[in-house]
């Protein structure tokens, strides 16, 4: 990974609006029509939430940006060698699963029983094949297990013990639960069980996801998460639910969502973006903005998504104050966006 390359930061007028600056929900000022970034081959997210400037140290900022850049360059390297979008999204998500700063793989949050239960899904836009796992305990890279479910089983979604056994049978790295431990997530669990007087200002979301388009103009999407801190044992969010947290169709769009999973499931969010594009001819930025900044908030929750169409147009709408994300364009330019003021709401 090169850290020498300049990082261009995109700040739009919307991101600097007074409403955002005082912390109003982004949805309150959502206008019809979203913004779009062009010529993107791969985008990743590290969760929707709030990351105000000054809330992390320069070293933490560097760690986040380096991880996003590494994920982007890893996936884009595959794409430029002619690999399918599916390979790129899996590789990008693996990088973020291995990074303890994100809530996926190592660094995943704890459930009420102080365990890690991991969810992931992947979808291939070319033929609508997909694979997903929920409540995984001992698989180091759940996104690769999701892909194995897609390619080596006759199923789409596997859960719990059976999924971990399937991983072992197919040669994926087995790990004990302590591998996923980070002090920060442990503290978050203790805080959730016994809330401090002042809630932490930095998001504890940090689910990860990736969307890509390959040289054949096929798209793919992948999402991986530890879910929500202090979730009930057995709770499954939107991330492993095809159509809710993840969706890809090469005729429309690849989408990876982040936010309160229950509402993304009820709103069938990722598929809804694709359906709007398919049935109304909406552009990716308009479809994604409508679902994420209007429909999902109307159901009572906040979150965000990255949505990439086969022509390389990327939308990153969110109704939270921010969404950690990054993208790489056809010419190799990498942009990483962490702070609320770097991420326009739609
Ligand atoms: N959507 C994830 C879940 O509900 C959480 C997140 O995106 O932060 O499991």
């Amino acid at each position: 990974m090169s850290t020498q390359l300049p990082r261009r930061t995109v700040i739009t007028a919307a991101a600097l609006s007074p409403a955002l600056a005082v912390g109003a929900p982004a949805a309150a000022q959502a206008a019809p029509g979203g913004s779009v970034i062009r010529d993107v081959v791969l985008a990743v997210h590290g969760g929707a939430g709030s990351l105000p400037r000054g809330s992390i140290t320069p070293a933490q900022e560097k760690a986040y940006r380096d991880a996003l850049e590494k994920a982007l360059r890893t996936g884009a390297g595959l794409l430029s060698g002619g690999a399918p979008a599916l390979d790129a999204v899996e590789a990008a998500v693996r990088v973020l699963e291995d990074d303890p700063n994100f809530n996926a793989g190592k660094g995943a949050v704890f459930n009420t029983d102080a365990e890690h239960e991991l969810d992931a899904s992947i979808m291939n836009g070319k033929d609508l094949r997909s694979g997903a796992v929920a409540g995984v305990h001992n698989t180091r890279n759940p996104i690769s297990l999701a892909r194995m479910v897609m390619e080596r089983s006759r199923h789409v979604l596997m859960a719990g013990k059976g999924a971990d056994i399937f991983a072992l049978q197919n040669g994926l790295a087995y790990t004990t639960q302590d591998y996923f431990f980070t002090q920060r997530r442990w503290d978050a669990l203790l805080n959730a069980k016994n809330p401090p007087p002042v809630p932490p200002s930095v998001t504890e979301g940090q689910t990860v996801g990736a969307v890509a388009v390959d040289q054949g103009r096929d798209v793919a999407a992948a999402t991986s998460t530890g879910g929500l801190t202090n979730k009930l044992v057995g709770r499954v969010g939107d991330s492993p639910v095809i159509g809710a947290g993840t969706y890809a169709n090469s005729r429309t769009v690849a989408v990876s969502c982040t936010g309160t999973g229950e509402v993304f499931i009820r709103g069938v969010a990722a598929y809804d973006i694709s359906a709007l594009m398919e049935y109304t001819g909406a552009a990716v930025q308009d479809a994604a903005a409508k679902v994420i900044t209007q429909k999902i908030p109307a159901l009572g929750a906040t979150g965000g998504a990255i949505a990439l169409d086969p022509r390389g147009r990327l939308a990153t709408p969110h109704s939270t104050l921010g969404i950690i994300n990054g993208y790489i364009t056809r010419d190799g330019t990498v942009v990483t966006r962490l702070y609320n003021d770097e991420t326009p709401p739609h």
Side-chain angles (χ1 to χ4, degrees):
M1 174 189 63
S2 162
T3 51
Q4 308 306 318
L5 284 153
R7 293 183 175 114
R8 189 165 57 84
T9 299
V10 179
I11 302 178
T12 69
L16 299 172
S17 76
L20 250 193
V22 297
Q29 23 119 34
S35 59
V36 70
I37 302 158
R38 292 175 197 280
D39 290 326
V40 172
V41 291
L42 173 68
V44 294
H45 73 76
S50 177
L51 197 59
R53 265 182 211 277
S55 60
I56 54 174
T57 65
Q60 287 170 321
E61 174 178 345
K62 183 174 181 330
Y64 279 122
R65 292 201 196 270
D66 284 353
L68 294 175
E69 180 168 350
K70 183 177 177 187
L72 291 166
R73 292 205 182 279
T74 301
L78 293 169
L79 291 171
S80 62
L86 192 69
D87 288 0
V89 294
E90 181 194 0
V93 165
R94 279 182 71 107
V95 169
L96 299 175
E97 284 180 338
D98 290 344
D99 189 303
N101 288 300
F102 298 95
N103 173 20
K106 186 168 182 62
V109 299
F110 289 90
N111 66 17
T112 51
D113 262 8
E115 297 170 325
H116 306 280
E117 291 183 302
L118 310 175
D119 299 338
S121 67
I122 193 164
M123 186 159 184
N124 193 33
K126 186 176 186 170
D127 49 17
L128 307 187
R129 283 185 309 147
S130 54
V133 291
V136 165
H137 281 78
N138 301 112
T139 302
R140 191 181 169 117
N141 289 108
I143 198 63
S144 295
L145 179 54
R147 183 168 178 176
M148 272 182 182
V149 170
M150 177 178 111
E151 292 181 334
R152 299 192 193 175
S153 83
R154 47 185 209 285
H155 308 302
V156 168
L157 171 60
M158 292 183 70
K161 196 167 72 179
D164 279 316
I165 291 170
F166 186 73
L168 265 180
Q169 288 169 338
N170 283 278
L172 276 186
Y174 176 94
T175 188
T176 48
Q177 285 258 300
D178 56 315
Y179 164 76
F180 301 114
F181 177 90
T182 49
Q183 188 64 43
R184 170 185 170 203
R185 302 298 186 194
W186 180 252
D187 294 344
L189 177 66
L190 298 186
N191 285 343
K193 286 179 179 287
N194 185 11
V198 182
S201 61
V202 178
T203 177
E204 292 297 335
Q206 293 167 348
T207 288
V208 306
V211 289
V213 57
D214 60 29
Q215 291 175 6
R217 290 209 171 177
D218 281 305
V219 297
T223 311
S224 182
T225 188
L228 302 177
T229 294
N230 206 29
K231 65 185 181 181
L232 292 179
V233 176
R235 178 265 188 188
V236 177
D238 61 316
S239 305
V241 178
I242 295 298
T246 305
Y247 196 74
N249 181 339
S250 293
R251 290 188 297 138
T252 53
V253 68
V255 181
S256 173
C257 296
T258 166
T260 312
E262 284 70 11
V263 172
F264 280 73
I265 293 172
R266 289 167 53 215
V268 201
Y271 176 72
D272 205 25
I273 294 171
S274 173
L276 271 173
M277 293 174 68
E278 183 171 1
Y279 299 131
T280 73
V284 61
Q285 66 273 22
D286 297 330
K290 188 170 184 61
V291 171
I292 299 298
T293 69
Q294 295 178 3
K295 292 187 74 169
I296 292 296
L299 288 172
T302 55
I306 52 174
L308 180 66
D309 79 8
R311 289 202 275 165
R313 294 178 302 192
L314 173 71
T316 62
H318 54 95
S319 59
T320 43
L321 287 174
I323 178 171
I324 293 173
N325 71 96
Y327 59 87
I328 182 164
T329 55
R330 225 169 290 280
D331 65 5
T333 304
V334 168
V335 176
T336 59
R337 307 188 295 179
L338 303 184
Y339 297 120
N340 296 344
D341 62 21
E342 292 179 291
T343 53
H346 56 78

